[in-house]
Amino acid sequence: MIRAFLFDLDGVLTDTSEFHFLAWKRLGEDLQIPFNREQNEALRGVSRRESLALLLQGKTVTEEEAQQLMERKNRYYVDYIKKLTPANVLPGSREILIELASMGLKRMIVSASKNAALVIKLLQIGDLIDGVVDGSSQARSKPAPDLFLLAAKALDLDPKFCLVLEDAAAGIEAAHAAGMLAVGLGPVERVGAAELVIPSLEGQSAISILKRLDKKKSTYTWA
Ligand code: BG6
Ligand code: MG
């Protein structure tokens, strides 16, 4: 019996994943490292530091240089997200958050990003959720289960009562490692490991997601 929905932020509730890509691409251009959307798939959902390591493709840098590069990427990223408004909440998201509240189910945002609080503020969705676990928590990033486990703990719920909504392979892996079921948003090639795959939250409802998961119950082992 699901009692909470744990939403990833970037790429699930808003399209900031595109801005992460553009910021890394710009840093790549500064460093003359070619970087395209295909390569970006490996960065989706993973931490800033891990993303830098993937962008550098084995090129070694000192810790000081790494810090400067991560800060530069973040300046580029923050420059993009400054313009976010409530209109940037992806279709269907607000409606599902409201529906969940009316059903008495909990809603948390669980993001690896240290910018999550700023994004949530600009989107004005803070009053639609029960809490946030983000990159400022010092926990290990996805695909480790830590962020999702912290969310379950904050809600005082057993992980098996939490359902994760994710657009990244690393996020689905983290959900499973936490003992949670996952809904994957996006192409099967990326999120096919999830118990249920949907293109996005547009046109979806919490009830229909729960019903479809329930129908597929025999195809997975409940945590
Ligand atoms: C995740 C994004 O939500 O947060 C990743 O999907 C990003 O692309 C990660 O690298 C860390 O974000 P930030 O804002 O702390 O650099
Ligand atoms: Mg994401």
Side-chain angles (χ1 to χ4, degrees):
M1 181 71 166
I2 297 298
R3 303 218 182 109
F5 275 40
L6 310 185
F7 294 88
D8 174 47
L9 179 63
D10 299 320
V12 170
L13 296 177
T14 185
D15 207 7
T16 37
S17 46
E18 179 65 13
F19 297 140
H20 279 295
F21 164 62
L22 293 173
W24 285 121
K25 188 166 178 293
R26 197 164 154 200
L27 186 69
E29 279 158 13
D30 294 348
L31 303 173
Q32 290 172 337
I33 298 175
F35 182 66
N36 58 33
R37 278 182 196 280
E38 204 185 324
Q39 289 162 304
N40 185 58
E41 281 302 299
L43 274 65
R44 198 177 270 269
V46 306
S47 70
R48 198 180 299 179
R49 184 173 280 275
E50 178 65 13
S51 299
L52 176 67
L54 291 166
L55 180 86
L56 291 175
Q57 296 163 25
K59 182 180 180 321
T60 51
V61 291
T62 64
E63 176 55 25
E64 198 187 337
E65 285 166 336
Q67 287 297 341
Q68 284 168 0
L69 291 173
M70 286 190 288
E71 276 162 30
R72 196 193 309 177
K73 181 268 175 177
N74 198 51
R75 279 199 301 277
Y76 293 157
Y77 177 68
V78 171
D79 211 42
Y80 287 123
I81 62 170
K82 268 196 313 217
K83 297 170 211 116
L84 288 177
T85 72
N88 293 99
V89 177
L90 281 171
S93 312
R94 204 182 288 278
E95 292 80 355
I96 287 203
L97 289 169
I98 293 168
E99 182 194 2
L100 286 167
S102 74
M103 291 164 72
L105 296 192
K106 298 286 183 196
R107 300 132 286 149
M108 294 277 282
I109 289 179
V110 183
S111 168
S113 176
K114 291 185 169 71
N115 293 296
L118 173 62
V119 172
I120 291 165
K121 185 171 163 228
L122 293 170
L123 297 176
Q124 294 177 24
I125 51 173
D127 55 346
L128 296 177
I129 54 172
D130 295 292
V132 181
V133 175
D134 64 23
S136 64
S137 68
Q138 307 293 327
R140 283 181 305 163
S141 220
K142 303 166 190 178
D146 305 28
L147 294 167
F148 290 123
L149 291 174
L150 279 175
K153 200 170 169 203
L155 293 170
D156 199 19
L157 280 177
D158 190 300
K160 69 181 174 197
F161 297 127
C162 300
L163 177 65
V164 168
L165 292 93
E166 263 288 351
D167 70 312
I172 308 286
E173 197 181 327
H176 289 163
M180 299 174 185
L181 293 178
V183 177
L185 279 72
V188 171
E189 303 80 59
R190 187 199 298 152
V191 292
E195 280 67 32
L196 177 69
V197 176
I198 55 177
S200 70
L201 291 178
E202 187 166 15
Q204 304 287 339
S205 70
I207 286 281
S208 74
I209 288 174
L210 290 171
K211 276 191 183 155
R212 267 175 293 161
L213 268 178
D214 203 47
K215 268 195 194 153
K216 298 179 91 181
K217 213 168 173 174
S218 59
T219 64
Y220 54 78
T221 320
W222 280 74

